Amino acid sequence: MSKPAVRVAVTGAAGQIGYALLFRIASGEMLGKDQPVILQLLEIPDEKAQNALKGVIMELEDCAFPLLAGIEAHSDPMQAFKDTDYALLVGARPRGPGMERADLLAANAQIFTAQGKALNAVASRNVKVLVVGNPANTNAYIAMKSAPDLPAKNFTAMLRLDHNRAASQLAAKAGFKVGDIRKLTVWGNHSPTMYADYRFATVNGKSVQETINDQAWNKDVFLPTVGKRGAAIIAARGLSSAASAANAAIDHMRDWALGSKGEWVTMGVPSNGEYGVPKDIVFGFPVTTENGEYKIVEGLEIDAFSQECINKTLAELEGERDGVKDLLK
Ligand SMILES: NC(=O)C1=CN([C@@H]2O[C@H](COP(=O)(O)OP(=O)(O)OC[C@H]3O[C@@H](n4cnc5c(N)ncnc54)[C@H](O)[C@@H]3O)[C@@H](O)[C@H]2O)C=CC1
Ligand SMILES: O=C([O-])CC(=O)C(=O)O
């Protein structure tokens, strides 16, 4: 007998990440090839965006995905999030010309306050929320703070793209197969301050750090390359990363829902004070996942260089948190 369908809400569904994401969710790559899904798609109440959404839905229909049990188009989060089991918050206000970071935070605070409130009011009490729209960590924090009746742990931000980028750079440097890399993580904010950390990483049981053995490369090449990869893609493509971002969103949700089988993955999750990160700051941590729950890997040694990197990305997130404090009252 087939499983009952689950509800998956996606915001910004007519955008470029949406276009790379929805077809993979509908084909079962996110929640399993035996899990029917109902897509609840949200776009802004604007004629052009709603028309574009109609076109995407026509294409989803034309794929005749056996697992796609329904598609809904919405312009109101209170409808889009009704009973939803999974929510991928992709739509966000992009930075416009002359816009300062504070303006970006304020514009997004409005969106994510409204969406957090809507999730609080109408979503499944077990909803798993992934925030992709930037600034992703702080947007997740805002949504979480706006949804006091839902468990804080249900709100996460996407650091998986950074994790995958780091894995790929390490594989290229040392000739590893990317799929053989274990115990890699990225600490902190999804921004150039993130700290991609391969001190614990192994390939076939061998230490990646000892194999590479090049701290200058780590500091001067690897960290800046991973940290500025988003900007490098914008410079090359004229558009921000979309397929790789959608792929990371699939990886994040799949591992959260179906388990990481003991492997570490990176998720941005609200802190409970781990590694000195103040409670509720949404921070990239190494986690393992099982039975639909994630668990932060604790007890890792943080050396002086790593502490300095963690302090820097934490300071940025504390600044963002303080910047939206008044907007959350
Ligand atoms: N966390 C991460 O690793 C990454 C995050 N991003 C971020 O993801 C976001 C989306 O990127 P793209 O799809 O390329 O942008 P896009 O501009 O192509 O699409 C965004 C869509 O969201 C919609 N939207 C805006 N506000 C909305 C709202 N309040 N409710 C529903 N829909 C809304 C827009 O109408 C648009 O169709 C951006 O904020 C981008 O910076 C992108 C890459 C990686
Ligand atoms: O930099 C951007 O605007 C898009 C992004 O988050 C990334 O590619 O990591």
Side-chain angles (χ1 to χ4, degrees):
M1 220 179 70
S2 70
K3 289 181 172 177
V6 294
R7 296 179 174 274
V8 181
V10 180
T11 75
Q16 42 152 14
I17 294 176
Y19 196 69
L21 180 63
L22 297 174
F23 299 85
R24 294 186 62 188
I25 299 174
S27 73
E29 285 183 56
M30 186 170 90
L31 297 174
K33 295 282 181 185
D34 60 347
Q35 178 59 68
V37 293
I38 298 167
L39 289 175
Q40 306 188 162
L41 307 179
L42 180 68
E43 259 297 343
I44 50 173
D46 160 90
E47 199 183 337
K48 202 164 158 229
Q50 288 294 326
N51 267 334
L53 182 56
K54 275 191 196 127
V56 174
I57 290 175
M58 283 154 72
E59 286 204 71
L60 282 163
E61 289 167 352
D62 294 351
C63 293
F65 288 118
L67 290 172
L68 188 52
I71 317 177
E72 302 170 9
H74 296 289
S75 57
D76 176 354
M78 289 290 280
Q79 290 170 4
F81 296 154
K82 181 97 183 77
D83 297 327
T84 197
D85 302 290
Y86 299 87
L88 290 88
L89 309 188
V90 178
R93 175 80 189 276
R95 193 197 292 254
M99 221 171 153
E100 297 300 331
R101 199 166 174 88
D103 303 328
L104 185 73
L105 276 169
N108 280 297
Q110 268 184 15
I111 294 174
F112 286 86
T113 304
Q115 295 190 355
K117 284 183 177 162
L119 285 163
N120 195 53
V122 300
S124 155
R125 298 301 85 184
N126 297 317
V127 65
K128 287 180 163 53
V129 182
L130 167 62
V131 176
V132 175
N134 280 320
N137 298 52
T138 296
N139 287 341
Y141 172 85
I142 293 165
M144 175 188 88
K145 286 290 180 191
S146 306
D149 302 328
L150 293 171
K153 69 178 169 65
N154 295 18
F155 288 82
T156 68
M158 193 161 92
L159 269 291
R160 185 61 175 265
L161 180 55
D162 312 294
H163 178 113
N164 290 348
R165 286 168 172 167
S168 176
Q169 293 299 319
L170 291 171
K173 166 78 175 164
F176 304 134
K177 283 191 194 143
V178 77
D180 288 343
I181 300 174
R182 304 277 176 273
K183 294 193 171 172
L184 172 66
T185 197
V186 181
W187 305 89
N189 200 4
H190 172 67
S191 89
T193 66
M194 75 185 82
Y195 174 43
D197 182 1
Y198 59 86
R199 289 176 305 133
F200 309 102
T202 59
V203 167
N204 302 322
K206 239 185 118 191
S207 159
V208 167
Q209 180 167 258
E210 282 170 23
T211 306
I212 293 178
N213 191 24
D214 189 345
Q215 177 58 14
W217 177 80
N218 180 36
K219 189 164 162 290
D220 301 332
V221 181
F222 173 72
L223 290 174
T225 301
V226 178
K228 294 182 196 155
R229 188 70 164 182
I233 287 166
I234 293 172
R237 231 169 68 84
L239 288 168
S240 60
S241 51
S244 55
N247 180 66
I250 297 270
D251 285 350
H252 176 118
M253 279 306 210
R254 182 201 57 225
D255 287 343
W256 191 4
L258 305 180
S260 68
K261 299 175 184 65
E263 304 299 345
W264 294 15
V265 291
T266 302
M267 290 171 68
V269 303
S271 173
N272 276 306
E274 292 86 352
Y275 296 99
V277 177
K279 187 166 161 48
D280 288 349
I281 291 235
V282 177
F283 201 81
F285 284 115
V287 303
T288 55
T289 57
E290 197 178 359
N291 299 326
E293 302 287 340
Y294 60 81
K295 203 164 155 258
I296 295 174
V297 178
E298 293 200 66
L300 298 173
E301 196 194 320
I302 306 297
D303 62 19
F305 175 76
S306 302
Q307 192 63 59
E308 203 182 300
C309 294
I310 287 174
N311 290 349
K312 188 169 159 207
T313 193
L314 175 58
E316 184 178 53
L317 279 171
E318 286 177 315
E320 292 183 11
R321 177 198 60 189
D322 296 347
V324 297
K325 203 161 74 195
D326 290 343
L327 305 166
L328 286 175
K329 280 180 185 154

